[in-house]
């Protein structure tokens, strides 16, 4: 049986975009869910990281709204996707935008950690689909900048991670603001921590699809546990694992250690960039662009990168610091061996970490025998393969020397040259520094950080949109109690 996107009734304009991206055959989670999502049914999807679920809900989002011929209105989107972090929201928008543009729809992102001006402007112009983190979206709702009573299709992605970050109360309020008869798609690795309550309250007779067990490892992923005899041996081993020619991600527990290791590797001739919660959005974007391009082949990251950051061709993931729990292990590891490609995962442990790591791997259902190695071991040499050429680090600019006397903005005076209090924080400064946006600000956005507002231009504001689809295909939403397949017109007003 053919599993082409065209065979599922995906509109021709979207099929053309997918074909241009080299995507013609659907992945298992897409094969399972597309018949129901395109028919307008509520769907509960469970699939491991890298399974292709972003495309599984992006296609019916674009196709369904195009079929409904929704009208773009200021401050009233018709499609909503909720994601726990701004990295994931940005990735989703990158996948969805070309599909939406193909059928005349626009996309924008909404998240905290950046000024909301661009987000306000996008809503004033009118936008069809918003990919949002819960905190900032609720802020904009309270300010009457956006309303959700016109939403036809809602997607909740990484619901289990939302629960881990404490977002479910906000998510509940947001979902309650969308029409009860809209289509809702929820994707989650597990149904614990309150996710099951969301399913019961907001999904109506959902079709459930599960591709592999929620915590199952990826078949194309090879796992290794390298045990180092000492911290010094571990440091040498990390340097050796980072020295290959392909892209690799090294995971650390803390922001400080991630920054420190990236600097150390760069100074030793291995260009590396860091990714963690202390970076500004501009720094994050710059570092990810360098890692995805030719600037650096090593990314040293905290768990903020474990979900939502997708860079093609990552051949090796190294857990320099083993994670605290098995879910984090699987999501970190999922940065490699994505979409059917192969990859290796190395966990480095010291002798005193052996017991805890064994328990973690058992929970993750990873069966691997630890190996005592050092940087010169044959197994390490085989895994690293060809070494990359030494890259001379850029010289660090010397800090300008101070002239005699204290600067006008010194801490003792309490006043700066512009009249501000020297110890006062900028009025727009963030409160909280939680990794991945876990720190919640009063009235602010819990997700904290992501890129600035992303808006994909489509047809002029106010225009009608439609999308060609296969004959008989009816992705429109059903009214409550309506028979399956019955499509209602898009909301008016």
């Amino acid at each position: 049986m053919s599993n082409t996107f065209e065979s599922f009734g995906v509109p021709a304009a979207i099929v053309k975009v997918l074909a241009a991206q080299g995507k013609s055959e659907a992945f298992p989670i897409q094969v399972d869910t597309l018949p129901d999502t395109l028919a307008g049914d509520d769907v509960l999807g469970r699939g491991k990281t890298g399974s292709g679920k972003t495309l599984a809900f992006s296609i019916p989002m674009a196709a369904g709204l195009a079929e409904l011929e929704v009208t773009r209105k200021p401050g009233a989107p018709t499609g909503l996707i909720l994601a726990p972090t701004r990295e994931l929201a940005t990735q989703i928008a990158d996948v969805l935008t070309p599909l939406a543009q193909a059928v005349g729809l626009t996309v924008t992102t909404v998240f905290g950690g950046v000024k909301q001006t661009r987000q306000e402007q996008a809503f004033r112009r009118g936008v069809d689909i918003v990919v949002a983190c819960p905190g900032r979206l609720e802020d904009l709702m309270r300010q009457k900048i956006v309303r959700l009573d016109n939403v036809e299709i809602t997607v909740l992605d990484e619901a289990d991670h939302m629960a881990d970050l404490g977002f479910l109360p906000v998510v509940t309020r947001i979902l309650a603001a969308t029409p009860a008869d809209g289509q809702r798609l929820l994707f989650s690795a597990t149904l614990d921590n309150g996710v099951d309550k969301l399913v019961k309250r907001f999904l109506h007779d959902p079709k459930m699809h599960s591709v592999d067990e929620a915590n199952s490892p990826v078949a194309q992923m090879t796992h290794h546990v390298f045990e180092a005899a000492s911290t010094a041996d571990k440091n040498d081993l990390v340097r050796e694992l980072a020295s290959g020619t392909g892209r690799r991600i090294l995971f650390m527990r803390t922001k400080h250690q991630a920054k420190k290791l990236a600097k150390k590797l760069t100074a030793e001739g291995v260009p590396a960039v860091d990714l963690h919660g202390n970076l500004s959005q501009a720094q994050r974007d710059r570092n990810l662009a360098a890692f995805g391009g030719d600037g650096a082949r090593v990314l040293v990251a905290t768990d903020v990168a474990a979900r939502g950051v997708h860079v093609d061709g990552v051949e090796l993931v190294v857990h320099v610091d083993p994670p605290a729990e098995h879910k984090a292990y699987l999501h970190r590891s999922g940065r490699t061996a994505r979409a059917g490609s192969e990859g290796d995962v190395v966990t480095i442990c010291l002798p005193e970490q052996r017991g805890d790591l064994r328990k973690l791997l058992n929970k993750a259902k990873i069966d691997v025998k630890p190996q005592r190695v050092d940087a010169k071991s044959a197994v390490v040499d085989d895994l690293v393969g060809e070494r990359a050429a030494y890259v001379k680090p850029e010289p660090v600019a010397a800090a300008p020397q101070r002239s005699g006397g204290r600067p006008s903005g010194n801490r003792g005076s309490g006043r700066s040259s512009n009249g501000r209090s020297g110890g006062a924080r900028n009025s727009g400064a963030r409160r909280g520094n939680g990794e991945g946006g876990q720190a919640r600000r009063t009235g602010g956005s819990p997700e904290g950080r992501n890129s600035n507002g992303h808006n994909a231009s489509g047809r002029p504001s106010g225009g009608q949109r439609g999308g060609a689809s296969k004959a008989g295909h009816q992705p429109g939403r059903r009214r409550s109690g309506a028979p399956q397949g019955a499509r209602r017109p898009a909301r008016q007003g």
Side-chain angles (χ1 to χ4, degrees):
M1 179 180 176
S2 174
N3 287 328
T4 64
F5 290 110
E6 187 177 14
S7 69
F8 289 103
V10 176
I14 295 177
V15 171
K16 184 177 180 180
V17 172
L18 294 171
Q21 297 174 351
K23 301 169 184 173
S24 58
E25 295 281 332
F27 284 3
I29 195 168
Q30 298 156 9
V31 171
D32 285 359
T33 59
L34 281 175
D36 294 325
T37 56
L38 289 172
D41 294 326
D42 288 2
V43 166
L44 173 59
R46 299 175 65 183
K48 57 181 177 259
T49 184
S51 61
K53 62 182 175 61
T54 301
L55 204 57
F57 61 72
S58 293
I59 291 173
M61 173 66 77
L65 294 181
E67 183 75 7
L68 284 170
E69 299 183 353
V70 294
T71 301
R72 188 179 307 147
K73 298 176 182 179
T78 49
L80 172 64
I81 300 175
L82 293 177
T85 67
R86 61 187 183 182
E87 283 79 17
L88 182 55
T90 301
Q91 176 193 323
I92 292 170
D94 288 344
V95 173
L96 175 60
T97 295
L99 312 183
Q101 287 179 327
V103 290
L105 301 170
T106 58
V107 179
T108 197
T109 51
V110 166
F111 34 69
V114 296
K115 293 182 179 179
Q116 70 177 46
T117 305
R118 292 187 180 181
Q119 299 165 6
E120 292 180 32
Q121 292 171 347
F123 284 121
R124 290 194 186 104
R125 288 192 299 268
V127 64
D128 301 302
I129 304 168
V130 56
V131 185
C133 295
R136 175 58 65 84
L137 180 61
E138 188 176 43
D139 287 348
L140 297 179
M141 291 167 63
R142 287 172 175 169
Q143 298 172 52
K144 309 298 183 183
I145 293 170
V146 60
R147 56 188 176 88
L148 303 181
D149 57 337
N150 254 22
V151 171
E152 301 282 356
I153 306 173
T154 302
V155 175
L156 181 59
D157 191 24
E158 302 278 13
D160 56 324
H161 193 32
M162 297 264 200
D164 292 342
L165 296 178
F167 290 166
L168 290 196
V170 182
V171 170
T172 299
R173 291 192 292 270
I174 290 173
L175 292 178
T178 64
D181 61 344
Q183 182 184 19
R184 289 165 178 160
L185 315 177
L186 187 147
F187 288 82
S188 180
T190 63
L191 296 181
D192 53 4
N193 295 334
V195 176
D196 55 336
K197 295 180 181 178
L198 287 180
V199 173
K200 292 176 182 177
R201 177 173 175 182
F202 293 107
L203 272 64
H204 305 293
D205 190 23
K207 304 296 189 295
M208 186 169 179
H209 298 281
S210 181
V211 179
D212 295 320
E213 294 184 40
N215 63 344
S216 62
V218 179
Q220 293 84 2
M221 191 182 293
T222 303
H223 297 264
H224 314 263
V225 173
F226 290 165
E227 187 174 301
S230 66
T231 300
D233 286 348
K234 174 181 175 179
N235 293 338
D236 292 341
L237 178 58
V238 170
R239 168 65 175 79
E240 195 66 22
L241 290 170
S243 65
T245 57
R247 292 194 184 104
R248 50 210 62 212
I249 300 179
L250 280 53
F251 279 102
M252 311 290 292
R253 279 279 190 94
T254 69
K255 307 168 212 176
H256 171 72
Q257 291 299 326
K259 179 179 179 180
K260 182 179 178 180
L261 179 57
K263 284 186 174 182
K264 180 176 182 289
L265 290 172
T266 301
E268 294 174 350
V270 180
V273 292
D274 50 339
L275 184 67
H276 50 78
N278 277 354
L279 298 179
S280 68
Q281 189 55 49
Q283 289 171 321
R284 289 188 181 203
D285 291 344
R286 182 173 64 248
N287 288 358
L288 282 173
F291 181 60
D294 298 325
R297 63 182 180 275
V298 177
L299 176 69
V300 187
T302 56
D303 285 334
V304 71
R307 296 182 187 239
V309 174
H310 172 52
V311 176
D312 290 330
V314 175
E315 66 179 32
L316 176 65
V317 166
V318 180
H319 301 279
V320 178
D321 296 328
E325 46 90 33
H326 72 284
K327 286 184 184 179
Y329 177 90
L330 292 170
H331 284 290
R332 283 180 174 191
S333 303
R335 299 312 97 197
T336 188
R338 297 179 68 85
S341 62
E342 297 181 351
D344 287 274
V345 177
V346 170
T347 304
I348 302 175
C349 79
L350 296 171
E352 60 268 24
Q353 297 173 313
R354 190 184 303 143
D356 289 340
L357 180 59
R358 182 170 57 249
K359 294 176 183 177
L360 181 148
L361 293 175
N362 285 339
K363 289 183 178 180
K365 299 184 179 180
I366 303 296
D367 184 13
V368 57
K369 184 178 180 181
Q371 303 175 73
R372 177 67 70 92
V373 303
D374 58 30
K376 297 180 180 179
S377 297
V379 64
V380 175
D381 184 67
D382 291 341
L383 182 62
V384 174
E386 181 184 357
R387 269 60 169 182
Y390 173 87
V391 177
K392 184 177 180 180
E394 295 288 336
V396 179
Q401 294 184 351
R402 293 183 179 180
S403 57
R406 296 166 79 178
S408 59
N410 67 78
R411 287 173 287 185
S413 68
R415 303 293 294 181
S416 66
S417 58
N418 62 4
R420 291 182 184 270
S421 171
R425 296 179 60 163
N426 189 317
S427 61
R430 296 191 296 270
R431 304 185 191 92
N433 199 19
E435 190 60 57
Q438 295 181 46
R440 180 63 192 257
R441 319 190 274 294
T442 302
S445 306
E447 66 281 352
R449 312 163 188 87
N450 217 307
S451 61
N452 55 8
H454 170 88
N455 185 45
S457 59
R459 292 174 53 169
S461 176
Q464 296 283 340
R465 287 160 299 286
S469 63
K470 189 174 181 178
H473 165 50
Q474 295 183 345
R477 283 357 87 207
R478 302 192 309 277
R479 293 185 185 276
S480 299
Q484 181 169 341
R487 183 169 70 97
R488 62 163 174 77
R491 291 178 178 79
Q492 302 296 320

